[in-house]
Amino acid sequence: MSQKPWYQLNPEETAAAQQVHIAQGLSRDEVRDRLVQEGYNELSEKKGISNITLFLNQFKDFMVLVLMAATLVSGLLGEYLDAITIVAIIVMNGILGFIQEFRAERSLRALKELSAPSAKVLREGTIQQIPARELVPGDVIVLESGDRIPADVRFLEANAMYVEESALTGESVPVSKMTEALTGDDIPLGDQKNIGFMGTMVTRGTARGVIVRTGMATEMGKIADLIQNTETMETPLQHRLEQLGKILIAVAIGLTIMVVIAGIMHGQPAYGMFLAGVSLAVAAIPEGLPAIVTIALALGVQRMIKRKAIVRKLPSVETLGCASVICSDKTGTLTQNKMTVTHIWLGGDVMEVTGEGYEPHGNILTSGTPVDLRNNQMMRRMLQIGVLCNNAALVEEMPEPSKKKSAKETIKPVWSIQGDPTEGALVVLAAKGGVTRNSLDGLYSRVGEIPFDSERKRMSVLVQHQGGRLLYTKGAPDVIADQCTYIMWDGKVIPFTQTLKQKVMAANEGMARSALRVLGMAYKELKATDRSESMEGLETGLVFVGLTGMMDPPRKEVRDAIATCRRAGIKTVMITGDHQATAEAIAKQLGMLPNNGRCINGQQLAAMSDEELAVEAPNIYVYARVSPEHKLRIVKALQRQGHVVAMTGDGVNDAPAIKAADIGIAMGISGTDVTKEASALVLSDDNFATIVAAIEEGRGIYENIRKFIRYLLASNVGEILTMFLAMMAGLPLPLIPIQILWVNLVTDGLPAMALGVDQAEKDLMQHKPRGAKENIFARRLGWKIISRGILIGVCTLAAFWIALRDNPGSANNLMHAQTVAFATLVMAQLIHVFDCRSSRSIFHRNPFQNKYLVLAVLSSLILMLGVLYIDALQPIFKTVPLGLTDWLVVLIFAGIPTFLMGLGSVLGTSKKSKRPPMKYSSKPATR
């Protein structure tokens, strides 16, 4: 059956198109034929690769292949401990990668859980309860409050029907459903009021409808297809490590061959030079780099957990650090997802309502002064209407005390709403004014109700009390005003003149312009003579009381978080399924919509080509009334512009875009399982401000990775140049193979790891994000590595030459000179590690701030001294004890590389004091 614009057809046309009799439903034979043609009503899943294949795929990475080669070389050299260490590193990284990918592909299973397990269906004239997967297009189903809609359905009957669609459309309140046909093309999902969508929940009322789409053809099925067919982007860290691995292997092999050839040409034995060359090759490739990266990311994850951010994929931590755009859902992310009355209009006065969320604590203020509710008859009447003309309830729950509860810790109650959020807002308002259902029980009792529906746009209840009967009514202000003859003004009931009605409508329009959802309140004291065949006949001659303006308020900490993002060069974009006026008003309140910024809706977006969207995207800050396909398209358009995109959200409708984004962020409390499974980061407190902390951690971790890359490579360059320059100068080998491997194992391990947990520099969040394709050696890192490496090599060789001068022909003297070179190289690296903490020089940061680094350096120093002064180790490492004069030479030459360059940096900074220490690319790099 071909898809049709079902919302444009009336119920009779829909039934005819589906070839079904509304009163009888489908026959058994029709169901069987359609089941064969359409398939089961379930979300299909693409055949995935086996777990074994997924695990083996982790070892195809170029850097891993390099490590495997290093393992082979280490084994051939007899360095079995080194080989075992490298194998352990490879296996650990493989297991971590497998776990991450295995968990990432569970989105479809979570999505399937949103499908209803069973459904009430009309077949052959009788209502049956069947598994929802057996439904077919044309089935007539029955729905009531609490049901999950099992497939996309066109409503045939709807009785006060409301459906919670926030997970699919982003609409913050339940949507009233209708049966009439709609006009217009490309109507957004949130405005298709005669369609029910798979996975959404009926919150009120009853309905009958005919199923028009099942399985993968439903809107939920389209999301499932988007998740399946969305490619996961390679993170910048993965890209740069791949790039670094290729550079290292090429440089290591090239320089090693040159060293071996130069040594042989100058008379060194070929076998000895081969061993030295292989040792240099092993040293030149920092096999600990992947492990240190993993450890740095894992420790960053632990810090982020303390800051309420849970990381599901390790590389995403680093990706956050270069995010240039955050695309955020509105409902539940930027806002609290708790409808709250913020303003009241009574008798010409606008009053402000304070308080947080659903907590019944707050004040009603006029000109900043609390209203005296005891002497305000109009206010008491409004609050009574809000409680009695209402089916919602405010529920207080006491959370279980934590196991680690301290004596000072107080347990606060958690307040929630049972029922419609709009009605819940009125119950909370009344509670703030001291009026609750319990306080009115015994004084007032409801004896009748006319439910709210989309045609009447009002709700009324008949109340019995000691003085007689009352009719309480609430609804759309214009509708309520038309039913009123009187108004409460200055505590009195006076005629509702045209002038007063204009004032009411002006107040209504003012609230609506501020994106408030406005309700009018009215009542009527019924006389004994008031009789009507229906309650609706009583809804005339009402007394207008006032207006309530409510909204889903922004989170109070979000405005500051967005300002921090702006200072950090990060653009914040709102993408929501809510109405354009509401989205624009919230964006302005949060300071995320600049004066020249644009706000567009889904229809305007659909009319744009991908090229037009790419041109307009830099000026668009709010996208309203958008579908899941639109969200995905926006993310991809920004990525094509070179942006690193973070996408936040909590609903099913956010999942495809979250998966496609460079970093997907889900809400931990309000987020659906589908969104969490598709995401890389989960905010355990649903707080947008937590993203800022995560970005800071991401930037800090990346800078730490650069620090230990700088340290490792500068040290390796120094080692290679020491050997290379000695060979070119015709000198003996300054280091023997086992000494090279020892330096590589000891100095490259603990100090480099300690740099991975270094504290961030103070101005970390004062720079624009780095480009998505910024080279790992950008921002003068390459120059720092080469310059320090050259100096380390030259100074080590100089110390070797000075020690060799005394008696160049003596074997003992050669061993003494090699020991001096060995000690100089180690000390130069251990001093240089403190220089790597700063983007400027060693003089710009307290060297003892990182306690882990101090301990690591002391440990490496003790190990070196053990090699020099423990008799049992001296024959193995070919070392001799050094005297005070030797140590003076060692320390002078070891300190030159760091302190000489540091002094030059200080002098340069004093001349150019206004130059920022770090410069991130202001424009997104092209992907």
Side-chain angles (χ1 to χ4, degrees), residues 370-493:
V371 175
D372 184 1
L373 301 177
R374 293 171 299 178
N375 298 318
N376 193 316
Q377 183 182 354
M378 294 189 297
M379 180 64 71
R380 289 203 309 275
R381 181 68 75 182
M382 170 176 276
L383 300 183
Q384 288 173 4
I385 296 172
V387 170
L388 296 173
C389 189
N390 199 315
N391 292 313
L394 179 62
V395 179
E396 178 186 12
E397 295 179 356
M398 295 300 294
E400 294 183 4
S402 62
K403 295 180 180 179
K404 297 181 179 179
K405 180 180 179 295
S406 63
K408 296 181 180 180
E409 182 182 350
T410 56
I411 301 176
K412 295 183 179 180
V414 176
W415 299 89
S416 61
I417 291 295
Q418 288 183 351
D420 184 86
T422 300
E423 292 194 329
L426 296 177
V427 173
V428 174
L429 169 67
K432 290 176 180 177
V435 179
T436 64
R437 195 177 299 277
N438 289 338
S439 69
L440 297 179
D441 282 347
L443 300 175
Y444 300 87
S445 60
R446 278 174 45 169
V447 295
E449 175 187 344
I450 310 176
F452 185 96
D453 65 47
S454 56
E455 293 181 6
R456 287 168 27 84
K457 295 184 179 180
R458 63 183 183 270
M459 170 187 178
S460 294
V461 294
L462 190 60
V463 177
Q464 183 75 44
H465 73 117
Q466 294 176 350
R469 294 182 302 157
L470 291 167
L471 185 75
Y472 286 158
T473 304
K474 73 171 189 289
D478 55 336
V479 173
I480 298 296
D482 288 341
Q483 304 298 116
C484 292
T485 308
Y486 304 94
I487 185 173
M488 292 191 79
W489 197 272
D490 292 333
K492 300 176 182 178
V493 176

Side-chain angles (χ1 to χ4, degrees), residues 27-39 136:
S27 67
R28 187 175 302 173
D29 292 338
E30 287 174 320
V31 170
R32 185 179 60 249
D33 293 342
R34 296 187 187 198
L35 201 57
V36 171
Q37 183 177 356
E38 299 291 335
V136 296

